[in-house]
Amino acid sequence: MHELLLECLDRYLELTESTLIAPLHDPLVPGLEACARFFEDLSALKSTDPGRHGCLMINSATQLGSGDPEVAHRFHRYRVALNTGFCAALTRARTAGASAPKGAEDLLLAVALAINLEARASNPSGVSRMSQSAGSIVATWG
């Protein structure tokens, strides 16, 4: 059973990277626009089934992470993938003259994780509000 969970987490990470995170790396999309779109897409995903039940990676990590090194490792990979995506987008944005503050990548990562927790808590208004706030903050860096 544990192997099946690990396989599911690996597949979940692959899908998340290819659908939500990959656009953050797209050199044809302006960096701040890529960040804002990420939060729009995340909000849309978390507003419908099955996304409204939260994030499989976060749910697994909060239930098993500290006691299961393999789950903890996958959650670490998830966080690194998100952070790397935000770094790529914000590097493009800064190169184009945006004023994203130092540490903005970590802030966006924290907001993305918090949005998933709001979804897990069945709080669609929180998901929407946090996603809109993230987009508004990102816009001020332009």
Side-chain angles (χ1 to χ4, degrees), residues 5 12 17 20 23 25 38-39 42 46 49 51 53 60-61 68 73 76 79 83 86 91 95 99 105-106 111 135 141:
L5 172 63
Y12 186 87
E17 287 178 315
L20 281 175
H25 293 279
F38 171 88
F39 287 103
L42 183 61
K46 299 303 170 185
D49 279 330
H53 300 292
S60 298
D68 188 325
H73 172 72
H76 173 76
R79 289 190 333 265
N83 190 267
F86 288 130
T91 296
T95 299
S99 61
E105 300 84 355
D106 294 327
V111 173
W141 300 336

Side-chain angles (χ1 to χ4, degrees), residues 15-31:
L15 290 172
T16 301
E17 287 178 315
S18 67
T19 57
L20 281 175
I21 299 173
L24 291 168
H25 293 279
D26 186 343
L28 300 178
V29 179

Side-chain angles (χ1 to χ4, degrees), residues 55-67 71-72 75 117 120:
C55 167
L56 178 63
M57 193 66 68
I58 289 177
N59 294 346
S60 298
T62 56
Q63 291 293 317
L64 306 168
S66 62
V71 170
F75 183 60
L117 288 172
R120 177 68 177 125

